DNA sequence: CTGGACGGATCGTTGAACAATCACTACTGT
DNA sequence: ACAGTAGTGATTGTTCAACGATCCGTCCAG
């Protein structure tokens, strides 16, 4: 038994389900602190502090840090400590460059209707719709990412999935900064729905081009929201 | 000071240079054990054993294991231990699927002659040539991977670079099994040289298509060598 | 004002210890 | 003889306390 704990397993949120281990608990915990803004970009995250805060040993915290590093949620500078990455517009462009390579290629490579797997797409679209209706932009953003991860999952490649997972984790970092404005997710929910429809009707090439313009516009939206944010800061 | 050590820094080989830290030392050490065949696919790698063998604390070994896991050189089963991944033909296909998406996309996306960066390509080709002349297939394989990593590096994307690094680490795992026959690298050295020439003369589209057939043939070569290996095993 | 010595804080790493879990063996009951 | 179970040993997961190494900011001397 550890310290007070109290948090316990979260079940719903994370996909990986590494929670039975203490290091895994710290991973989701610190992950939430980062994406929820308690830890701001550029902040140093002290091992001792996290150890005290989460009630686990410093050594276990170190292990958790390696995992978070793995997902790009933490950067490690030797002998200096772990920091919440300072995401720059350049990073956004880099992330989207990879997305523009990966996602359309996956869609263009599809040959048959994998209906069961595609249901994840419509589920994500539905979730995004209802979240958007509630003006719940954080959840709309999560549903959005779930959509695109499910889209890449259609390729059935574990390595592509892993890459996409990391990209989305880094994107979440961006959203933690830009105050989730409606313009960032609102206009894109229906465009995802359109892409899902195209996929479900087997019109893969049309879906791919729709996806390409989607990504270009999404990148622009984030970039402008980003620069607006930087001015006020 | 640690234990006997003796190995020390290697300097030349790895690019990452994480060697000043003890965990980093263990990473390159165990990495070599794996790629050099001392650790076979499917083997369990005990924490205590590595700790004794490398002269560092078990806790440090655990950290090193997380890093190796990160590169796909180790898989971790909770409460059971770390294992050298058993690479299947399915993994090879998956790795090459990603390569076929990534590498041609990078080349096609090039717009200008980045001569200084392209010198890494010719350097890798030269190294591969001389290694092949010596029948030194392990080094020829390394130079081969260096070539393709340098090729992806032309895009100037840190995330693409990281992805490619992981892919090559996993490929090394394959080569550790198939006994580096000449047919695996020999025919491909000159094809890389051809691609490098096309790139240096700015004929990016031709380079991309050459790269595509290269990757298809390379995958086939590995796959056949692989199945031949499985029959004898 | 420049520069080097000092100190505090944090990281890097160790070693020992104990609980939890797994794999394997030996025993029991039918 | 054999299935199921309890026991046993080994390995992992995690904690704790400690110490050297390194970095950063401060203070003092020139």
């Amino acid at each position: 038994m550890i310290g007070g704990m109290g948090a316990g397993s979260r079940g719903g949120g994370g996909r990986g389900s590494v929670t039975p281990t203490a290091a895994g608990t710290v991973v989701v915990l610190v992950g939430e602190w980062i994406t929820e803004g308690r830890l701001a970009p550029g902040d140093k995250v002290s091992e001792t502090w996290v150890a005290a805060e989460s009630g686990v040993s410093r050594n276990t915290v170190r292990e958790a840090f390696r995992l978070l590093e793995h997902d790009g949620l933490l950067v490690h500078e030797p002998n200096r400590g772990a920091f919440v990455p300072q995401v720059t517009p350049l990073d956004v462009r880099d992330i989207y460059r990879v997305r523009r390579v990966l996602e359309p290629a996956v869609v263009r490579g599809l040959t048959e209707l994998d209906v069961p797997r595609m249901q994840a797409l419509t589920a994500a679209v539905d979730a995004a719709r209802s979240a958007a209706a509630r003006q719940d932009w954080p959840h709309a953003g999560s549903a959005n990412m779930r959509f695109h991860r499910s889209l890449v999952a259609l390729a059935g490649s574990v390595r592509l999935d892993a890459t996409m997972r990391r990209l989305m984790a880094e994107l979440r970092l961006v959203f933690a900064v830009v105050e989730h404005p409606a313009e960032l997710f609102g206009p894109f929910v229906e465009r995802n729905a359109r892409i899902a429809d195209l996929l479900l009707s087997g019109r893969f090439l049309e879906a791919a081009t729709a996806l390409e313009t989607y990504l270009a516009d999404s990148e622009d939206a984030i970039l402008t929201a980003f620069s607006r944010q930087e001015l006020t800061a």
Side-chain angles (χ1 to χ4, degrees), chain A residues 99-110 147-148 151 188 191-192 194-196 198-199 202-218:
Chain A
R99 289 190 70 177
R100 274 199 303 268
V101 170
L102 246 50
E103 300 192 41
V106 165
V107 170
R108 256 183 255 279
L110 293 178
F147 174 84
H148 288 273
L151 189 151
F188 296 105
R191 296 177 69 170
N192 279 340
R194 169 80 182 140
I195 293 172
L198 288 171
L199 285 172
R203 298 154 77 181
F204 300 132
L205 292 185
E206 292 177 60
T209 60
L211 185 55
E212 275 164 356
T213 64
Y214 169 100
L215 287 172
D217 293 346
S218 170

Side-chain angles (χ1 to χ4, degrees), chain A residues 40-44 83-86:
Chain A
D43 279 3
K44 174 155 74 184
F83 297 80
V84 181
Q86 190 94 38

Side-chain angles (χ1 to χ4, degrees), chain A residues 70 100 108 144 165 183 222:
Chain A
H70 185 325
R100 274 199 303 268
R108 256 183 255 279
N144 190 337
R165 193 183 107 260
E183 312 103 54
I222 293 181

Side-chain angles (χ1 to χ4, degrees), chain A residues 45-92:
Chain A
V45 188
S46 155
E47 296 177 355
T48 331
W49 180 71
V50 173
E53 201 79 2
S54 64
V56 304
S57 151
R58 188 163 77 92
N59 238 318
T60 303
V61 171
R62 275 178 135 258
E63 275 200 34
F65 278 16
R66 299 294 123 72
L67 272 331
L68 288 163
E69 218 179 326
H70 185 325
D71 284 359
L73 289 179
L74 239 43
V75 290
H76 187 68
E77 302 186 24
N79 278 317
R80 296 208 1 136
F83 297 80
V84 181
Q86 190 94 38
V87 192
T88 70
L90 221 128
D91 287 306
V92 175

Side-chain angles (χ1 to χ4, degrees), chain A residues 4 11 15 21-22 25 27 66 71 87-88 127 140 146 154 164 176 183 207 215 226 229-230:
Chain A
R15 221 135 283 87
T21 160
T25 310
V27 167
R66 299 294 123 72
D71 284 359
V87 192
T88 70
R146 211 158 54 235
L154 292 177
M164 193 63 184
E183 312 103 54
L215 287 172
F226 206 103
Q229 196 75 13
E230 273 193 333

Side-chain angles (χ1 to χ4, degrees), chain A residues 95-173:
Chain A
I95 292 172
Y96 270 87
R97 177 179 350 196
V98 182
R99 289 190 70 177
R100 274 199 303 268
V101 170
L102 246 50
E103 300 192 41
V106 165
V107 170
R108 256 183 255 279
L110 293 178
T111 57
E112 55 178 34
L113 276 183
D114 188 344
V115 182
R117 249 202 278 241
M118 285 185 182
Q119 281 172 348
L121 294 178
T122 59
V125 166
D126 290 345
R129 274 205 180 109
S130 83
R134 278 182 273 119
Q135 308 259 336
D136 179 357
W137 303 119
H139 278 86
S142 292
N144 190 337
M145 297 188 195
R146 211 158 54 235
F147 174 84
H148 288 273
R149 277 185 59 178
S150 305
L151 189 151
V152 169
L154 292 177
S157 159
V158 286
R159 282 155 192 86
L160 245 28
D161 287 352
T163 303
M164 193 63 184
R165 193 183 107 260
R166 277 186 288 267
L167 285 177
M168 292 298 101
E170 286 199 271
L171 254 196
R172 217 183 300 265
L173 224 52

